[in-house]
Every structure is written in structure tokens, then in C-alpha cells.
Amino acid sequence: MMSIKAAVPRAGSLRRVLSMGLPTMWGAVAITYKLTCPLAQQNGLGARVATSAVFFAVGTGLIVHVRRALLRELRLARQVAGAAQSALLRPLPPRIDGLSVAAAQMSADRGATIGGDLYEAVATEHGVRVVMGDVRGHGLAAIGTAAAVLGSFREAVHDEPELGGVLRRLDRALARHLRERAERDGTAAEEFVTVLLLEIGEDGELLALNCGHPWPYLLSGSVVEPLSCADPMPPLGPFPMPGDLSGVHCGHLLPGETLVLHTDGAEDARDTRGRFFSLPEVLGGALEATPRVVLGTVFTALLNHTGGTPKDDVALLALRNDRQPRSASGARGTARPAGTHPQRTTHL
């Protein structure tokens, strides 16, 4: 192990020496030829052709060297970006406590693999808890805020018995992050984050807290419908947290049903004629598909709709209940009681 560690700095030093030495060598060859070679001092056609050939070879060598160096740096940058993406938006397992899961994100910044959208799903003793969020703005500028919210969520879901407690932890973490950034940069941070929290119980019972985020779609049989029509609370950041965080009871996610969480970048996407992307229509064509196929269908249709250039970050997370039914005696029980327990909210 010691020899391996010692070899790493030596390899890096050798690479740096070669990156500086090769251009110097090519330049020295050209100067030496021009100053010392008798042929370079002649003005005949043959001498000029030979001189041009030498300098062409030198220029070609420099171009090839620079190209290789740039490609090496590009590969390194992609490796770093991949590591950052894996740390921030960790790949979700295909199954979580009997639920089939798939998630993906597409950044609006060219060359970026992560942006301002965030998601996570965690199995806890309180049920499977899911977050989907969207930081104001898009691309690389929103990564720090997304990391602060996700880090708080991953801790709070195990510690807080109530979903409202998780939301309060997210709000405090965001406020602390924005305050520290304002003190560090000397500017007032005015970011806000829309957040949707879901809790899926062992029997499929759904509890939701929504802070300014689009409601997910429920794929049930031949129907695609919003999970709820209740008014969301304001986004996290600019407004104080409401006192009542009891959440919205949204019925049950029955076996075979699928929930598709998304950010507003999906439904706000437009084509060249200014027409919005119809997410429910696309989901209607993937009612019986697995979560992975659902995501592939949506992203393919979205790229076709926008011509391959979305203007905002887009994140999707699909969950399908693959648990075995416990009993056939109970009906669905209720439809989605959207207006039965509305959240108190301040309309934006």
C-alpha cells in the first residue's frame, strides 16, 4: 500500500513534467532548426518547402498534445461530476420496502449532470418517506442549496416520528444554509425551495406535505389523476412555517398503482410553438409500465417536445406498489380526500 501511495505522486509529477516538457521540446526543435540549420538560411524553393514542413510538424505536434491534455481534463471533470452526482442524488435502489422505485434528473445547464432539483426515498420505521424538491433557479448555482436540504432530510426522516417534524427540520436547515452563505459572500440570499414530502405506510396509506410543489400523478388502472387538489403551503425560505403541519391524507397507494413525482420543469417545458408539455397524456401511455419504463417514456417524449433543449431542470421519481394485498375485504375505502383536510395556506 505504501508503494502504491508513493507511486501516485510520482505519476502525477511525471505527467506534469511531460505536459510542460513536450511543448518546450517542440519549440526548441523549431528554433534550433531556424537558427542553426544551413537549409533554413537559404531562400530557394526547396529550402522553403523543407522549412514549412518542419514548422508544420511542430505545429501539428503542439495541437495533438494540447488536444490530448484537454481530453484528459475533460475525462477528469466528468469523473468528478459523476462522483458529485452520486453523493448528492444517490442512485435509488430498485426496490424499497416492497415498492419498485426509479428516479432520474436532467440538468438544463449544458454539460452539467446535476442541478437544482432534488429527490430521495428512504425506508424508515415510520414508513417509506419521499422528498421531491426544486430550488429556485437551475443548474450549478442551486447545487449547494439542494445539498443542504437533502442532507437534512436524510437525517430527519429517521429521527422525527411525524412528517411535520421532518418539514420543520428542512426549513431550519435551509435558513441556516442561506444565512451562512449570505455571511460568507456578503450578499443577501433570496433562494426558496418548493418541497413535497410523502409518507407511505405499510398498508399503503399516503400522507403528504406540500410546500409550493406540483402534486404527483397517480396511475391507477386506466386513470391518470393528481394525487390531491389541496392548496399547497408556501415554499420554504421566504415565508414562516405554518403552525398546522398535520398534512393531507391522500387515501392509499394500492398494489399495482404507481405514483409519479416531478418538478415543474416537466410541465412547464414548451415546444417551438410555445405549447406546454402534456405530462398526464404521456403518462397515460405508460399505465402498466414499470417505474423505469415510465421515466424513459417521459424523458423521451420531453426531449422530442423541446427539440432536445429543455430550459429548466427536470426530475422524475416513480414508485409502484408491488406489495402483496393483505386482504380482499377492504375496498379502496375513500377516494383521494383532497378537500377533506385542506392545509392552511397563504396564497402566493
Side-chain angles (χ1 to χ4, degrees):
M1 289 296 293
M2 293 180 62
S3 62
I4 293 175
K5 292 180 180 179
V8 172
R10 286 200 297 268
S13 301
L14 178 61
R15 188 179 297 112
R16 285 192 295 269
V17 169
L18 290 176
S19 64
M20 297 177 59
L22 288 178
T24 303
M25 183 185 70
W26 282 106
V29 168
I31 295 175
T32 302
Y33 172 80
K34 184 63 178 177
L35 296 179
T36 63
C37 182
L39 186 62
Q41 312 301 323
Q42 301 177 12
N43 293 323
L45 179 60
R48 291 180 180 180
V49 170
T51 301
S52 299
V54 170
F55 279 93
F56 177 79
V58 171
T60 302
L62 289 175
I63 292 173
V64 170
H65 174 75
V66 171
R67 181 178 180 274
R68 288 180 177 176
L70 291 177
L71 289 176
R72 185 168 56 249
E73 294 297 328
L74 178 60
R75 286 193 295 267
L76 179 60
R78 287 178 174 175
Q79 291 174 358
V80 172
Q85 183 180 28
S86 298
L88 180 59
L89 295 180
R90 299 181 301 195
L92 298 180
R95 291 182 63 85
I96 300 177
D97 196 16
L99 304 176
S100 294
V101 183
Q105 193 260 5
M106 181 168 55
S107 176
D109 280 2
R110 183 177 180 86
T113 55
I114 50 180
D117 294 342
L118 57 99
Y119 56 79
E120 181 65 285
V122 181
T124 72
E125 60 180 318
H126 315 293
V128 176
R129 288 177 166 178
V130 185
V131 65
M132 174 68 77
D134 189 356
V135 180
R136 174 182 177 266
H138 65 267
L140 300 178
I143 291 177
T145 302
V149 174
L150 272 178
S152 176
F153 173 81
R154 288 164 178 162
E155 290 290 334
V157 289
H158 295 286
D159 299 337
E160 299 293 337
E162 302 294 332
L163 200 60
V166 177
L167 186 61
R168 293 189 187 281
R169 291 270 292 271
L170 300 188
D171 185 60
R172 290 196 297 268
L174 175 62
R176 182 169 56 250
H177 167 74
L178 296 180
R179 182 173 60 253
E180 291 173 353
R181 195 177 69 180
E183 293 174 352
R184 181 178 64 252
D185 300 338
T187 58
E190 299 179 354
E191 281 185 346
F192 63 84
V193 184
T194 66
V195 169
L196 173 70
L197 292 180
L198 283 180
E199 183 177 282
I200 306 173
E202 292 184 0
D203 59 352
E205 182 181 6
L206 290 166
L207 180 66
L209 282 170
N210 190 343
C211 294
H213 200 81
W215 285 105
Y217 284 101
L218 173 69
L219 282 58
S220 177
S222 60
V223 178
V224 178
E225 60 180 355
L227 181 64
S228 174
C229 295
D231 291 329
M233 296 180 293
L236 299 183
F239 302 100
M241 186 68 63
D244 181 17
L245 294 179
S246 56
V248 176
H249 293 274
C250 302
H252 292 71
L253 182 67
L254 301 182
E257 294 183 338
T258 301
L259 272 179
V260 179
L261 289 71
H262 62 95
T263 54
D264 59 5
E267 294 189 307
D268 290 347
R270 302 194 187 197
D271 61 9
T272 55
R273 299 182 181 179
R275 295 175 298 183
F276 288 102
F277 180 69
S278 178
L279 182 58
E281 180 179 345
V282 174
L283 292 175
L287 289 170
E288 302 297 329
T290 64
R292 183 180 295 274
V293 174
V294 170
L295 264 59
T297 301
V298 173
F299 276 118
T300 300
L302 182 63
L303 291 174
N304 291 335
H305 183 80
T306 60
T309 56
K311 302 300 182 183
D312 196 5
D313 299 333
V314 178
L316 298 173
L317 191 155
L319 306 102
R320 188 178 67 184
N321 187 353
D322 287 338
R323 297 167 177 168
Q324 294 296 326
R326 293 188 175 183
S327 173
S329 60
R332 172 176 283 281
T334 60
R336 311 291 169 189
T340 305
H341 303 284
Q343 295 182 357
R344 299 174 184 176
T345 181
T346 302
H347 293 279
L348 297 178

